[in-house]
């Protein structure tokens, strides 16, 4: 499997491509990383150095990959945080070209906008751009519950309302919606869930909620789920594998006392997930 991953990159820590590439490689996926920013560290520190890559430069990198005749071999285009408005056009154009070269290729979009605790942390134009232009051309989207609500102009909280919001998102274009950070009022204490909704049904997986904030965990989640689901077509298995791997990554990070994801230290959990969580069908 080959994945063309168009995301941010940081020198210190693990977000964007700096979070997604290694776990994908560890499960045997060939990744072609294209950077949208090249920062010293993620913006959660409040200060960082380095450039946002001009969309024309991102486009040039992708054109160079196309020149090598690689597009027919690409199975997935994956995108995450979009630092500026112009990158959307580059992604949409790339998806069209890759799908023309390989009609079986898919586009997986992580529509990064914000979260329930912090609200939106991207430029005001980005969420509208994602909703109106990017998400409609995606096959898979991986929003958190907050982002799903923004995309669909709803307020999902229960299983039923989250399913309904996911169906609204699927009506926009994507056939598969993975909803992360699902927090419903009637869940067990100190737990958190992920839900996937596809044409074949819907499944939810519940894990303990760890007392931490981990930048980049959503990027790892989107990457691993996309790869597992693309390989097998089994949404429940992909959900369980992803939840198992990411939970052990977060546990290792929490136990280390470090702020940044312990991505390398957790590598065996990607290659051999413990499968300690089971996906339950909810539709």
């Amino acid at each position: 499997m080959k994945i063309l991953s168009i995301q941010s990159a940081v020198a210190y820590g693990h977000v964007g491509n700096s979070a997604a590439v290694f776990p994908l490689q560890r499960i045997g996926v060939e990744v072609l990383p294209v950077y949208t920013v090249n920062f010293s560290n993620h913006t959660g520190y409040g200060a960082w150095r380095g450039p946002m890559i001009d969309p024309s430069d991102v486009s040039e990198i992708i054109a160079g990959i196309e020149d090598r005749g690689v597009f027919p071999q690409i199975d997935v285009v994956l995108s995450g945080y979009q630092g500026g408005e112009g990158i959307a056009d580059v992604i949409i154009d790339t998806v069209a070209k890759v799908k023309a070269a390989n009609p079986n290729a898919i586009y997986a979009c992580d529509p990064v906008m914000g979260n329930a605790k912090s609200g939106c942390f991207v430029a005001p134009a980005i969420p509208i751009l994602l909703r109106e232009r990017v998400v409609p051309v995606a096959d898979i989207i991986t929003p958190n519950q907050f982002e799903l609500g923004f995309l669909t102009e709803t307020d999902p909280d229960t299983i039923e309302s989250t399913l309904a919001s996911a169906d609204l998102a699927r009506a926009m274009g994507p056939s598969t919606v993975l909803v992360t950070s699902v927090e419903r009022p009637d869940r067990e204490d100190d737990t958190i869930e992920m839900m996937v909704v596809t044409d074949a049904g819907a499944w939810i997986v519940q894990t303990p909620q760890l007392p931490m904030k981990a930048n980049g965990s959503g990027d790892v989640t989107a990457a691993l789920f996309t790869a597992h689901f693309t390989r097998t077509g089994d949404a429940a298995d992909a959900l369980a594998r992803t939840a198992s791997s990411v939970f052990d990554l977060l546990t290792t990070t929490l136990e280390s006392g470090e702020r940044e994801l312990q991505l390398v230290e957790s590598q065996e959990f990607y290659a051999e997930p413990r499968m300690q969580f089971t996906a339950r069908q909810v539709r």
Side-chain angles (χ1 to χ4, degrees), residues 178-254:
L178 174 69
V179 190
T180 63
S181 300
V182 175
E183 299 184 53
R184 53 189 174 93
D186 58 342
R187 73 189 190 280
E188 295 176 33
D189 291 342
D190 301 318
T191 63
I192 195 164
E193 294 166 320
M194 285 198 294
M195 177 189 292
V196 63
V197 185
T198 73
D199 292 337
W203 294 264
I204 196 165
V205 64
Q206 185 178 86
T207 71
Q209 185 170 21
L210 299 172
M212 63 184 298
K213 177 184 177 182
N215 295 89
S217 58
D219 303 317
V220 176
T221 300
L224 287 177
F225 175 82
T226 296
H228 289 312
F229 184 51
T230 301
R231 268 182 175 159
T232 68
D234 187 332
D237 180 72
L239 182 63
R241 286 181 179 278
T242 301
S244 296
S245 295
V246 173
F247 179 78
D248 280 337
L249 164 63
L250 293 176
T251 299
T252 301
T253 301
L254 179 63

Side-chain angles (χ1 to χ4, degrees), residues 91-142:
I91 292 169
I92 292 168
D93 180 65
T94 301
V95 169
K97 289 179 177 178
V98 168
K99 287 192 170 189
N102 177 11
N104 293 320
I106 65 167
Y107 170 37
C109 170
D110 186 7
V112 178
M113 290 180 263
N115 56 60
K117 293 183 175 63
S118 306
C120 275
F121 50 64
V122 296
I126 297 296
I128 298 168
L129 188 62
L130 285 167
R131 181 168 61 201
E132 295 182 354
R133 298 195 54 221
V134 181
V135 167
V137 302
D139 300 287
I140 298 173
I141 60 171
T142 59

